[in-house]
Amino acid sequence: MSTVEAKKSCTEARAALEEYLHNELRAEDAADVRAHLATCEECSAEHHVGEMLTAALQGACKDRAPEELRERLLASLRAARDQHS
């Protein structure tokens, strides 16, 4: 594969990486990205970073605010609603 073809493959793989991470690609396209990641160290490293970020964000979305903060926020929202009613 020439350098131009390799760069094009990297460009295409990186453009599809987010959809690949979220399983949003057609099976054919996902297989192409997977094959490229198996042979390209740079894109594989970028994919790994994407996996780590995705996992961190998913974990952060599962966290709940402390109960005291939730109560203060709800009280503030109720007070604002009552002022504008």
Side-chain angles (χ1 to χ4, degrees):
M1 182 182 312
S2 74
T3 304
V4 173
E5 288 172 335
K7 288 193 184 295
K8 184 176 180 187
S9 293
C10 287
T11 301
E12 291 172 349
R14 288 180 181 177
L17 202 52
E18 187 170 344
E19 288 90 356
Y20 179 77
L21 283 166
H22 299 289
N23 297 315
E24 296 173 347
L25 291 177
R26 294 178 316 143
E28 246 177 59
D29 295 331
D32 290 344
V33 172
R34 196 169 25 261
H36 179 79
L37 293 175
T39 61
C40 180
E41 221 173 283
E42 287 182 39
C43 289
S44 183
E46 189 167 326
H47 173 249
H48 180 68
V49 169
E51 286 179 318
M52 300 301 286
L53 289 172
T54 298
L57 286 173
Q58 287 173 342
C61 292
K62 292 178 183 175
D63 291 341
R64 288 182 52 109
E67 195 60 35
E68 180 183 312
L69 176 61
R70 290 170 42 89
E71 289 173 11
R72 286 191 349 232
L73 179 59
L74 287 172
S76 177
L77 289 171
R78 287 184 190 113
R81 180 195 63 204
D82 292 345
Q83 277 185 332
H84 296 286
S85 294

